[in-house]
Amino acid sequence: IILYFTVTSVYYKSSSFLKNIKWLMPFWICLFISWIFSPGEIKLQVLMRTISYGLLPLVVFGLFIPFFMKHPHQLKKTIRLSVLVLVAGLLLYVIAPQFVQSIGEDNQLRISGLLGNANGLAMFTVFFSIILWYTHRRLGYYSKQQYWLIMSFYLLNILVAGSRTSLGVFILFHGLTYIHMKKGGVRILLKYVLAPLVIVGMATLGLAYVKKSQVLSSRARLNTLETMGGRMIGWEWGYQQVPQALWFGKGLMYDSYIYGKSFSQELRSVQRGLNAAYSGILAILLDAGVIGVFFFIIFFIGMFSQFKDKRLILPLALAFLLSFVFESWILATLQPFTILFYTIIGLFQFDPFTLPEN
């Protein structure tokens, strides 16, 4: 913490830091209050998680974003690094598949790459696809051919990971962004006529076609849609626990703690939905309570309200909300997704046309 504030005070004077910290502080304070009510056996871990959770946006808005704004070409190196991580994961699948493959529902092969699990690989990829969009569309880096080549490679990794949520996030963000960046009558036509027709067509004709195809039906795991991939049983039980800590919750990590304590390893290995909350909304309710959810919504709205291009608010907000519903990464600190989330928010808060050429 001392090193962080020393570096930011000496090297960076970030308006992004001040703008976002005022929205973060109420939620962060609420997390410290929640820590008071956390179970004694995990109290120290909860405290460390609470401190580190607050440090994440501080580091991103105080260091990462000012650095990228002063040196925007460094984003290209970040994209390059993500591609190398994904390529290494696919190569490892060829060389030693037992380390990066898993069998999902309906015995479908899913690849996790270097991210540890398939959903993690897909989320890592879809978040970097948003950074790639920003780097190309807003900063003008990459030719069209290079952009579509990298974007296609990202989509390939999402498909081999087999994550339906991340695929939905990918389609939602890039589809809505394409529509919202159009002007006048074209945007109205796409938004209110063509988009609904496509959605209805995919929900009826497309789904019917997938059901008829045994390969596609198995790959899409349609037989698990009704239970949301096993999540429904875990959600039902989890929401029943919310009244026990209704207002302030019981601290970060409580969601994973209560599932692990209440269900045996054997049961959780059979019923995937009982391993964790598998929902950012449910996780915040259990960890920070109703008041925490309120302050998180304020934090969320406050960050998005600072976007320079207001047309990007809806596509990005809906994409992240879809991910929040089915994954609980938003309250975690030891993985790349929360960091990427804040990085994307910070990038979208700046007008790239005011950046220095070099």
Side-chain angles (χ1 to χ4, degrees), residues 38-258:
S38 62
E41 55 193 291
I42 59 169
K43 224 173 188 63
L44 179 59
Q45 295 97 311
V46 173
L47 178 61
M48 292 191 292
R49 172 72 69 86
T50 304
I51 294 173
S52 64
Y53 187 82
L55 280 177
L56 277 184
L58 294 185
V59 170
V60 171
F61 295 127
L63 286 176
F64 285 10
I65 302 304
F67 174 77
F68 283 135
M69 293 303 101
K70 288 186 178 184
H71 312 284
H73 62 278
Q74 295 290 340
L75 278 172
K76 293 181 67 176
K77 294 184 178 180
T78 308
I79 296 292
R80 194 179 307 154
L81 176 62
S82 74
V83 172
L84 288 175
V85 169
L86 297 177
V87 168
L90 292 179
L91 288 177
L92 189 58
Y93 171 69
V94 175
I95 299 171
Q98 67 272 20
F99 292 109
V100 296
Q101 71 179 22
S102 61
I103 304 299
E105 302 95 334
D106 206 16
N107 294 321
Q108 283 303 300
L109 176 66
R110 304 180 67 184
I111 297 176
S112 60
L114 299 185
L115 272 293
N117 65 74
N119 286 335
L121 172 65
M123 286 190 289
F124 176 85
T125 306
V126 75
F127 285 6
F128 263 106
S129 77
I130 297 174
I131 296 178
L132 174 64
W133 180 92
Y134 178 89
T135 307
H136 175 66
R137 300 292 188 184
R138 310 303 283 172
L139 299 181
Y141 295 146
Y142 300 111
S143 65
K144 276 190 174 182
Q145 293 78 8
Q146 290 173 324
Y147 171 75
W148 285 111
L149 178 63
I150 300 174
M151 190 64 77
S152 300
F153 181 63
Y154 281 157
L155 180 58
L156 171 65
N157 277 271
I158 294 173
L159 293 175
V160 298
S163 172
R164 296 170 296 196
T165 301
S166 293
L167 181 60
V169 171
F170 183 91
I171 295 172
L172 191 61
F173 172 78
H174 293 288
L176 285 179
T177 302
Y178 177 80
I179 293 173
H180 277 251
M181 298 307 288
K182 295 295 181 181
K183 296 181 180 180
V186 176
R187 183 171 62 182
I188 294 174
L189 178 66
L190 290 172
K191 186 175 181 179
Y192 296 106
V193 179
L194 187 60
L197 287 175
V198 171
I199 293 172
V200 172
M202 290 179 64
T204 54
L205 299 177
L207 189 58
Y209 177 76
V210 170
K211 283 184 176 180
K212 286 183 179 180
S213 171
Q214 187 175 358
V215 175
L216 291 177
S217 176
S218 178
R219 186 60 187 167
R221 292 172 286 144
L222 292 183
N223 62 326
T224 66
L225 276 179
E226 186 178 351
T227 61
M228 300 295 179
R231 289 176 172 88
M232 281 299 296
I233 186 172
W235 288 350
E236 291 175 5
W237 183 85
Y239 279 109
Q240 291 172 6
Q241 314 311 308
V242 171
Q244 298 179 19
L246 182 62
W247 298 110
F248 285 102
K250 293 192 177 182
L252 293 182
M253 297 179 63
Y254 178 68
D255 59 307
S256 56
Y257 166 81
I258 193 173

Side-chain angles (χ1 to χ4, degrees), residues 325-337:
V325 170
F326 294 100
E327 302 293 345
S328 55
W329 56 266
I330 189 60
L331 289 183
T333 56
L334 293 180
Q335 34 79 330
F337 317 121

